[in-house]
Amino acid sequence: MLTVLGYRHLAPHARDRLHRDTASQMEALGLWHWAVFVLCHVEDAVRRREAVEAVLERNVASLDAGREEFLVSELGLPVQWVARARATLARAEGRQQDRAECLLQAERWQEAHQVIVKEIAPDAIIGQEYDYLHRLLSELVPSHISEHIPGWASQGQVYHQFITVERSVRSLLVSRDEASVQYELERLRPSVSGLCRAVATIPVTSARERLAQSEIAKKVAHLMRAEIGRAHV
């Protein structure tokens, strides 16, 4: 309002201080979503994002549907910013599955990958919760995402490939179309062989990860025997 009225004498750092002080007052009154509105007027894009995300992280526990609608629809905040704040809260509360979901929504691909392969994948493999793990990893598979994730080839990609192959082989083994089964098994042979080598590359730093690696190796061995056995029928 002051700027519109022609008061342009404030230096940039003074304008930022005015915005931050006003936002702090709003937050102290419990009107933190209006503090975000104030901070959206910070001119520098980097400082604006840092200030807004800081407010979100401090107050995300009280973020309800109405406030989220206001932030995203009215103020135009990217949903990724809100999701990142929720991921921070989930981490503090030890909710690793929620954290992974929020990190994927926030497009924090590298951090999401680490949470999935370290905190979720071992238990999912041991408990054979393949569908859930496959759904999470599928969001990281596109090349424009996976090629920027360190360790993808020896971690997330191995888990994803294992579940994909396991699904395909199991589906084929219950098929009654012998001609189709033979063809598909031959087509899958390179993938199964590649898995035999890839399993050994999974980094193992805990007993859970070692057990998960062992389970995958055992499953792959069974798949190889099933494939070879069917091929000689």
Side-chain angles (χ1 to χ4, degrees):
M1 184 181 297
L2 290 171
T3 301
V4 170
L5 292 175
Y7 292 92
R8 304 175 184 274
H9 61 287
L10 291 177
H13 70 275
R15 287 198 300 270
D16 282 358
R17 178 64 180 272
L18 178 62
H19 286 99
R20 291 176 184 274
D21 287 350
T22 305
S24 295
Q25 293 180 42
M26 303 298 289
E27 190 175 358
L29 292 170
L31 303 173
W32 64 266
H33 51 301
W34 284 105
V36 172
F37 167 75
V38 174
L39 293 172
C40 283
H41 293 79
V42 173
E43 292 185 5
D44 183 84
V46 175
R47 289 200 295 270
R48 180 171 63 247
R49 176 170 183 170
E50 290 175 348
V52 169
E53 288 190 332
V55 172
L56 286 172
E57 289 189 358
R58 287 195 297 269
N59 297 278
V60 67
S62 62
L63 178 60
D64 54 27
R67 284 175 173 167
E68 183 171 359
E69 177 70 16
F70 172 75
L71 295 173
V72 176
S73 300
E74 298 294 329
L75 301 188
L77 257 62
V79 294
Q80 291 86 346
W81 295 12
V82 178
R84 183 182 180 186
R86 283 208 168 99
T88 301
L89 178 63
R91 178 182 181 181
E93 296 179 347
R95 295 182 286 108
Q96 299 299 343
Q97 292 186 359
D98 290 340
R99 181 185 174 197
E101 297 274 5
C102 290
L103 287 171
L104 290 172
Q105 187 179 10
E107 299 181 358
R108 307 283 292 187
W109 310 123
Q110 294 184 22
E111 189 176 352
H113 176 253
Q114 281 301 302
V115 173
I116 292 170
V117 300
K118 291 295 183 182
E119 304 294 341
I120 297 176
D123 290 336
I125 293 296
I126 295 169
Q128 298 187 19
E129 297 176 0
Y130 298 151
D131 290 343
Y132 173 65
L133 180 57
H134 189 270
R135 179 174 65 81
L136 294 179
L137 291 172
S138 292
E139 296 196 40
L140 303 176
V141 168
S143 59
H144 69 279
I145 295 175
S146 59
E147 66 185 11
H148 299 294
I149 299 177
W152 168 254
S154 62
Q155 293 176 287
Q157 185 177 26
V158 179
Y159 288 119
H160 185 268
Q161 184 181 9
F162 162 68
I163 297 173
T164 301
V165 171
E166 198 273 345
R167 280 178 167 182
S168 299
V169 172
R170 290 300 173 191
S171 176
L172 288 172
L173 292 179
V174 298
S175 173
R176 297 182 179 180
D177 186 352
E178 291 295 330
S180 175
V181 168
Q182 295 295 334
Y183 170 77
E184 291 297 330
L185 284 175
E186 285 298 323
R187 187 179 64 83
L188 286 171
R189 186 185 296 273
S191 297
V192 177
S193 300
L195 265 177
C196 291
R197 297 186 296 270
V199 171
T201 69
I202 299 177
V204 174
T205 58
S206 69
R208 288 166 54 247
E209 292 174 354
R210 189 173 301 280
L211 178 56
Q213 184 186 46
S214 175
E215 286 295 315
I216 293 176
K218 182 171 65 176
K219 287 277 189 179
V220 172
H222 288 167
L223 293 178
M224 285 291 291
R225 285 197 294 271
E227 177 186 332
I228 294 172
R230 173 73 69 162
H232 286 85
V233 172

